[in-house]
Amino acid sequence: TDRRKLHTAPVGQVFRLRPFHVLVATGGGYAGYRKYEDYKLEQLEKRGIEVPVKLASEWEVALYKSVPTRLLSRAWGRLNQVELPTWLRKPVYSLYIWTFGVNMKEAAVEDLHHYRNLSEFFRRKLKPQARPVCCVHSVISPSDGKILNFGQVKNCEVEQVKGVTYSLESFLGPRISTEEVHFSQAPPGNSFQQQLVTKEGNELYHCVIYLAPGDYHCFHSPTDWTVSHRRHFPGSLMSVNPGVARWIKELFCHNERVVLTGDWKHGFFSLTAVGATNVGSIRIYFDQDLHTNSPSYSKGSYNDFSFISNNNKEGIPMRKGEHLGEFNLGSTIVLIFEAPKDFKFNLKAGQKIRFGEALGSL
């Protein structure tokens, strides 16, 4: 008689599945399956076997986008900022170093106990001599990474990887007013690509650089140029590794990104930092008003900010190699710029490149 009564709920109530849980489980499981498929493709490529392009269907993209990657990335960001006990830092960072092949000899601070949390470790700075900036060539790599694609922009389409393209206008967004930025005065009937080219005889070029988790996560100015405008696209945070980029058409147009546009000595120049899973945080050092992966921004919109004002008629001048911004973990940099027809890339698709090395020159 002194025993407590046990109150039990009906089995159906205990195991009630809610739509959110189904989406997370289904989408997460499918994302894991895609990761495994990507791994198999990478192994085939290493063996020199050419892999045919197989694009995702609309329902596959919708299923992948149903995973709450923005929420997960915010949670990951908060976890990264939790201070680790001193005794735990070396084991945690050593595991990461071993997994992703990080070269700590290049780090400005090699002592692992110095980094209080994962976020500080991800954003570690390099020794000044670790990345000499090429002074001969006009455009250098803004970051460490892997070259996914490069070349001329044709028919308003840009290749994210070989055989898979995205729309130039969808990626950069509508043309900025010529009152803010001195772009081409071409007639409105011209294509979006033609409107970006400011000088006769020039062409539009692009270069895509993928930053892996083990790479140096800061990015720098690829040339001497002036940043006039920033456009922030809130969006999804799908993975941007080469396997997914080969699978989802217009992947970079789906994901959150920050587009910096301006001009250099040959005309139009833009650098776009593309977010990815667990990389919701994109920081531009001179732009304190930028806040990425914020719940206050809805997908499908964009936010413009002009660096040209009454007090600053030119914009933000950047020197080649100057610190520009940083990611948390790793992602993708896309350069789209105008140059004369004799501009040549000194690259091969798939090659590793480091910040400061030449991309191309005249």
Side-chain angles (χ1 to χ4, degrees):
T1 56
D2 295 332
R3 292 178 181 176
R4 295 178 180 178
K5 293 182 180 181
L6 297 177
H7 297 276
T8 59
V11 175
Q13 183 177 344
V14 174
F15 294 99
R16 182 183 300 166
L17 292 176
R18 297 180 180 179
F20 176 76
H21 299 152
V22 174
L23 285 175
V24 171
T26 306
Y30 191 75
Y33 165 74
R34 287 305 316 171
K35 286 284 188 181
Y36 174 68
E37 289 294 310
D38 296 340
Y39 171 76
K40 291 198 300 183
L41 289 176
E42 288 177 6
Q43 296 305 307
L44 291 174
E45 287 182 344
K46 288 180 179 178
R47 292 161 55 187
I49 301 173
E50 187 172 349
V51 181
V53 175
K54 183 181 178 182
L55 294 177
S57 61
E58 290 185 9
W59 72 265
E60 287 178 309
V61 176
L63 182 58
Y64 192 178
K65 292 175 74 173
S66 70
V67 181
T69 51
R70 287 165 61 87
L71 179 62
L72 293 173
S73 296
R74 284 195 289 270
W76 176 254
R78 291 183 179 179
L79 179 64
N80 284 352
Q81 294 172 3
V82 174
E83 185 169 343
L84 296 176
T86 305
W87 62 268
L88 188 59
R89 294 174 188 176
K90 189 171 182 179
V92 170
Y93 301 147
S94 296
L95 178 61
Y96 186 90
I97 290 167
W98 177 78
T99 303
F100 296 109
V102 178
N103 184 3
M104 283 302 294
K105 291 183 179 179
E106 298 178 333
V109 180
E110 296 184 39
D111 182 11
L112 298 180
H113 294 101
H114 169 80
Y115 302 100
R116 294 173 299 177
N117 51 48
L118 284 167
S119 181
E120 285 189 2
F121 179 72
F122 292 148
R123 296 180 288 107
R124 64 193 176 276
K125 298 299 186 289
L126 298 181
K127 295 173 181 175
Q129 67 274 18
R131 296 289 185 275
V133 175
C134 177
C135 299
V136 178
H137 298 275
S138 57
V139 184
I140 62 168
S141 176
S143 66
D144 288 5
K146 178 181 180 180
I147 301 295
L148 293 190
N149 216 304
F150 62 92
Q152 282 191 20
V153 177
K154 298 180 180 179
N155 301 320
C156 294
E157 291 282 323
V158 186
E159 280 194 322
Q160 58 191 31
V161 294
K162 185 178 180 181
V164 182
T165 63
Y166 56 93
S167 163
L168 179 65
E169 186 169 6
S170 297
F171 181 69
L172 295 179
R175 183 166 168 264
I176 302 165
S177 170
T178 54
E179 295 178 0
E180 297 182 26
V181 184
H182 302 295
F183 286 171
S184 172
Q185 301 293 330
N190 285 16
S191 70
F192 183 79
Q193 178 178 338
Q194 291 172 326
Q195 292 177 29
L196 294 181
V197 177
T198 63
K199 298 179 181 179
E200 187 176 351
N202 281 1
E203 298 287 349
L204 208 59
Y205 297 87
H206 74 98
C207 183
V208 184
I209 305 170
Y210 166 68
L211 288 74
D215 287 328
Y216 167 57
H217 301 308
C218 297
F219 51 93
H220 301 246
S221 176
T223 191
D224 295 336
W225 65 307
T226 301
V227 184
S228 306
H229 187 271
R230 178 256 292 164
R231 177 168 283 163
H232 171 216
F233 289 87
S236 300
L237 288 172
M238 295 184 282
S239 172
V240 293
N241 73 54
V244 177
R246 187 186 297 108
W247 179 55
I248 297 181
K249 183 178 174 65
E250 299 205 333
L251 171 64
F252 299 152
C253 297
H254 289 294
N255 272 16
E256 180 159 16
R257 59 198 182 278
V258 176
V259 182
L260 300 178
T261 53
D263 58 275
W264 70 318
K265 61 183 178 181
H266 299 296
F268 172 79
F269 199 97
S270 73
L271 180 148
T272 301
V274 183
T277 307
N278 296 335
V279 197
S281 175
I282 301 171
R283 183 183 173 193
I284 304 298
Y285 294 137
F286 58 74
D287 189 354
Q288 302 302 316
D289 295 323
L290 175 65
H291 301 285
T292 57
N293 195 17
S294 170
S296 60
Y297 294 127
S298 59
K299 297 180 184 179
S301 63
Y302 61 84
N303 310 286
D304 284 341
F305 183 85
S306 176
F307 297 110
I308 296 177
S309 63
N310 292 331
N311 297 326
N312 182 5
K313 300 292 185 180
E314 299 297 326
I316 308 294
M318 297 296 300
R319 305 298 296 176
K320 184 168 65 173
E322 187 178 350
H323 278 84
L324 181 55
E326 64 188 29
F327 291 110
N328 267 324
L329 196 60
S331 193
T332 298
I333 295 286
V334 180
L335 301 179
I336 298 175
F337 57 93
E338 175 185 359
K341 291 182 178 180
D342 56 352
F343 180 86
K344 300 293 182 184
F345 283 104
N346 305 316
L347 304 171
K348 291 182 180 179
Q351 78 171 72
K352 292 288 291 182
I353 197 165
R354 303 202 303 178
F355 155 61
E357 295 179 346
L359 291 180
S361 62
L362 296 169

